[in-house]
Amino acid sequence: MTLSFDDITWHRAVGQLIEALDKPNFWAQLVRLLDQYMPFDSWVALLFSSDQHPQVFAASPGVEGIPDALFEDYLRGVYLLDPFYIASREQSRSGLYRLWEVAPEHFEQTEYYQRYFRLNVVADEIQFNCQLEGDRTLCLSLGSKQRFSSEQIALLALIQPWVLALLRQRLPYETNETTAPASADWRVQLETSVQQLKGAQLTARELDVGRLMLSGCSSKEIARKLEISVETVKVHKKHMYSKLGIKSQSELFSIFLQAQNA
């Protein structure tokens, strides 16, 4: 078999990345290589786990080096509505995932999409997920101002084994340097904040229904995920709205944001 010039270039670049695994510029070198094959507009490397906030290892720089306020909101708690975070908790497997494969039915109608995703990521996102021990997922997300094409996704699927292997080998050089702040169970954290903000006490099930609503799940999807009936979902929603004194998901999202910043 004869190797093409592109094949040689790719394997040489992967070899250089292996050499850079313990170097500070590893992530920048990796995304520069990927960008040669499939252009994108933003990226972030982070670690998801069930009992901590996301741990960010590296990310594309903000405008003029200023931290992105929307991304700061994401790290404080908005990540709980991220379809990729939810999928990583529910599916727990390695692979390449596209936004429209993991997003709930009504994702584009959510306040999360309108207030965060559409402004921060813009149009489309794909994510390499490397599943680790301890219910952790090391992720490399690529965001774009336009939809990724089928050809681009196919190319990423082709190089996925190399990327996932590099992510796994990089992790030991990250965890020794950076620690993520411990976080209480999100239900306890949110319930405490809601009680302080609104004087309301929501049940664990009401919190589950509220979070899934905000993430874009229809009543049918919520019922399936929680293994309850659609009518029970509607009852929980009614009780939650009554306790909080609200009438819309927009108001619920505002309370959710306040709770994360409380």
Side-chain angles (χ1 to χ4, degrees):
M1 182 181 69
T2 302
L3 292 177
S4 69
F5 179 76
D6 287 341
D7 291 332
I8 296 172
T9 300
W10 167 258
H11 285 88
R12 179 174 179 273
V14 171
Q16 292 174 335
L17 280 168
I18 293 173
E19 290 291 333
L21 278 168
D22 61 344
K23 303 297 191 297
N25 69 335
F26 168 79
W27 293 110
Q29 194 169 328
L30 174 57
V31 297
R32 279 199 297 268
L33 174 61
L34 295 177
D35 189 58
Q36 292 178 22
Y37 291 87
M38 195 196 74
F40 47 87
D41 299 293
S42 62
W43 62 273
V44 60
L46 72 173
L47 185 70
F48 285 149
S49 61
S50 297
D51 59 353
Q52 293 182 326
H53 292 287
Q55 184 177 352
V56 178
F57 296 142
S60 49
V63 179
E64 298 180 353
I66 300 173
D68 190 319
L70 289 173
F71 190 55
E72 293 299 317
D73 283 342
Y74 176 88
L75 295 177
R76 278 193 290 267
V78 175
Y79 70 90
L80 291 167
L81 307 180
D82 181 357
F84 287 106
Y85 172 80
I86 295 172
S88 75
R89 300 303 87 203
E90 293 180 348
Q91 299 174 2
S92 300
R93 62 175 182 264
S94 298
L96 176 66
Y97 296 91
R98 190 172 182 180
L99 175 66
W100 307 111
E101 296 173 344
V102 299
E105 182 180 352
H106 297 155
F107 178 65
E108 289 185 288
Q109 301 172 24
T110 64
E111 293 294 315
Y112 171 82
Y113 178 85
Q114 296 297 330
R115 296 197 203 181
Y116 174 77
F117 188 90
R118 188 172 59 84
L119 299 177
N120 210 43
V121 183
V122 183
D124 204 357
E125 185 176 10
I126 52 177
Q127 183 164 287
F128 291 96
N129 278 6
C130 181
Q131 193 61 33
L132 308 167
E133 295 180 356
D135 195 29
R136 299 173 303 156
T137 308
L138 178 57
C139 312
L140 176 62
S141 290
L142 310 177
S144 175
K145 294 179 181 178
Q146 56 187 352
R147 293 290 178 90
F148 293 112
S149 69
S150 299
E151 290 77 13
Q152 290 173 322
I153 299 299
L155 177 59
L156 287 182
L158 185 64
I159 65 176
Q160 170 189 313
W162 281 279
V163 176
L164 294 182
L166 287 165
L167 295 187
R168 189 177 297 277
Q169 294 301 316
R170 170 64 182 185
L171 185 63
Y173 301 105
E174 295 288 356
T175 53
N176 292 334
E177 300 177 3
T178 312
T179 56
S183 173
D185 181 272
W186 73 268
R187 294 186 189 87
V188 176
Q189 187 181 43
L190 186 55
E191 166 62 10
T192 300
S193 298
V194 167
Q195 190 167 2
Q196 293 173 347
L197 290 168
K198 305 293 289 187
Q201 186 167 359
L202 303 181
T203 66
R205 186 60 87 194
E206 288 166 351
L207 288 167
D208 284 333
V209 169
R211 181 175 66 92
L212 289 171
M213 284 172 50
L214 290 176
S215 69
C217 290
S218 65
S219 294
K220 186 176 180 179
E221 286 178 304
I222 296 173
R224 177 179 56 80
K225 288 175 179 287
L226 300 182
E227 298 182 339
I228 57 179
S229 70
V230 172
E231 288 305 315
T232 301
V233 171
K234 293 178 180 178
V235 169
H236 285 312
K237 175 182 175 181
K238 180 179 179 181
H239 289 170
M240 179 176 52
Y241 277 27
S242 177
K243 289 179 180 180
L244 297 174
I246 60 176
K247 297 180 179 180
S248 69
Q249 281 196 38
S250 178
E251 292 176 283
L252 180 62
F253 185 80
S254 294
I255 293 173
F256 179 84
L257 284 183
Q258 291 179 61
Q260 303 312 311
N261 295 318

